[in-house]
Amino acid sequence: VIRSSVVAEQNETNATRLVEALVKADTVRVPDIVKQLGDYRKWADPLLECNLSTSVDDSVEKLHLSLALLDQDQQQVDYLYRQLLQTESQRFPVIRDALEKHQLALRERLWEVVAGREADPRLERLHAAAALAQYDPTSPLWNDAAVEVVSQLASISPVFLRDWMSALRPVREQLLPPLGVIYRDTIRRESERSLVTEVLADYAADKPEVLAELVKDADETQFAVVFARLQEHGTAAIPLLESEFQRTLDWQDALQSLDISNDSRLSL
């Protein structure tokens, strides 16, 4: 009996320690702490629920507590879904991965967000798309969504670019065409084209034929970024560049011939 009492007291102490660590931890550490709570659920869950009831809505503390209770309390799904659409980029993967078990129930809701065209100052469409990139990467709905997703991606701060690029990587193939449109659009703001150039160079890093085409259309700033990636393919890039430049020359020759023909008609 004494031994059982000591063990229970130790378990309660460990549970209390882990719950306190959970509340104060960086969000990226929360999944590991939740795993450690597995052996102490009997003692931890009442503490988690008590803290949750007094936590401030939309606070980091409530987010961590909700993540810890998700497997025991299905009511946390809706709360975490709302957080998924609004959270900062560093916390986004933690919430997305936690909700992955519920992805089938969330896909339709997320696609509805992506399809919206109302004002979206918090970039909820980008958040929803980044979740769907993991939950539903092969959906044909990407054909219609890609342009809007890329437009929002091009508008973010460069500080957060790597986070969103990583989240959207599973659907990079679908995003290449609209990225290319912005890349070549000289009317676009320089900041947007610069951002898109970095994304394109990364997403097409294993596609030398795409990189060669981008090099052909690059301005001076874009050329430095894209050509550096193309160089990584070594001598395999040479015939691709030759082919792209030959196509350009052939097109210029055709235009020149057309001009000559038109001049001849005029002289007649």
Side-chain angles (χ1 to χ4, degrees):
V1 175
I2 295 176
R3 178 177 174 78
S4 297
S5 177
V6 171
V7 171
E9 186 175 343
Q10 289 177 339
N11 288 337
E12 186 174 355
T13 299
N14 288 333
T16 301
R17 174 180 57 81
L18 287 170
V19 171
E20 290 175 350
L22 175 86
V23 170
K24 299 176 182 178
D26 291 335
T27 304
V28 294
R29 292 191 57 238
V30 167
D32 289 335
I33 298 175
V34 171
K35 288 181 181 178
Q36 295 176 52
L37 281 170
D39 295 332
Y40 308 104
R41 279 291 175 180
K42 176 180 176 181
W43 300 272
D45 283 356
L47 294 172
L48 293 169
E49 291 167 359
C50 180
N51 285 327
L52 184 69
S53 67
T54 59
S55 61
V56 177
D57 202 27
D58 294 332
S59 64
V60 176
E61 177 183 354
K62 183 167 184 177
L63 171 64
H64 293 183
L65 294 165
S66 181
L67 287 165
L69 285 167
L70 178 60
D71 288 344
Q72 282 71 36
D73 181 6
Q74 296 296 302
Q75 293 182 7
Q76 301 308 317
V77 174
D78 282 340
Y79 173 78
L80 290 173
Y81 171 78
R82 293 194 300 274
Q83 296 303 307
L84 180 76
L85 296 179
Q86 300 175 359
T87 192
E88 61 186 54
S89 61
Q90 296 92 331
R91 294 191 177 105
F92 175 84
V94 177
I95 304 174
R96 176 202 61 198
D97 293 349
L99 288 172
E100 189 163 14
K101 295 177 182 177
H102 307 275
Q103 62 173 287
L104 292 179
L106 296 177
R107 283 181 187 175
E108 185 175 353
R109 294 169 66 181
L110 289 166
W111 278 120
E112 287 176 357
V113 172
V114 173
R117 292 297 177 266
E118 66 280 0
D120 189 16
R122 304 189 72 167
L123 301 182
E124 292 190 0
R125 288 194 284 275
L126 180 63
H127 287 70
L132 287 164
Q134 180 162 307
Y135 298 166
D136 201 11
T138 60
S139 171
L141 294 174
W142 285 106
N143 295 330
D144 294 327
V147 172
E148 175 64 15
V149 173
V150 164
S151 179
Q152 288 207 346
L153 181 63
S155 71
I156 65 172
S157 166
V159 175
F160 308 119
L161 180 62
R162 286 287 163 181
D163 295 331
W164 293 117
M165 281 173 58
S166 178
L168 290 166
R169 188 172 300 280
V171 293
R172 62 186 181 278
E173 294 277 355
Q174 295 94 315
L175 301 183
L176 287 177
L179 283 167
V181 171
I182 295 178
Y183 174 88
R184 296 176 175 88
D185 186 355
T186 57
I187 305 301
R188 286 271 189 167
R189 289 182 306 205
E190 185 62 32
S191 60
E192 292 184 345
R193 294 182 70 210
S194 175
L195 212 69
V196 162
T197 299
E198 185 173 348
V199 178
L200 267 174
D202 184 278
Y203 280 1
D206 60 345
K207 299 179 181 299
E209 69 283 357
V210 174
L211 293 172
E213 186 177 343
L214 293 171
V215 163
K216 176 176 67 71
D217 297 332
D219 60 26
E220 185 176 347
T221 303
Q222 292 172 325
F223 183 90
V225 176
V226 178
F227 189 68
R229 287 297 185 130
L230 186 58
Q231 281 183 307
E232 295 173 6
H233 293 274
T235 56
I238 296 175
L240 293 169
L241 282 172
E242 291 176 342
S243 175
E244 284 297 330
F245 288 130
Q246 186 58 53
R247 283 169 54 193
T248 301
L249 290 172
D250 290 344
W251 179 242
Q252 290 175 343
D253 289 343
L255 287 176
Q256 187 176 8
S257 297
L258 182 59
D259 288 340
I260 293 173
S261 176
N262 286 337
D263 289 341
S264 298
R265 290 181 184 178
L266 287 174
S267 65
L268 292 175

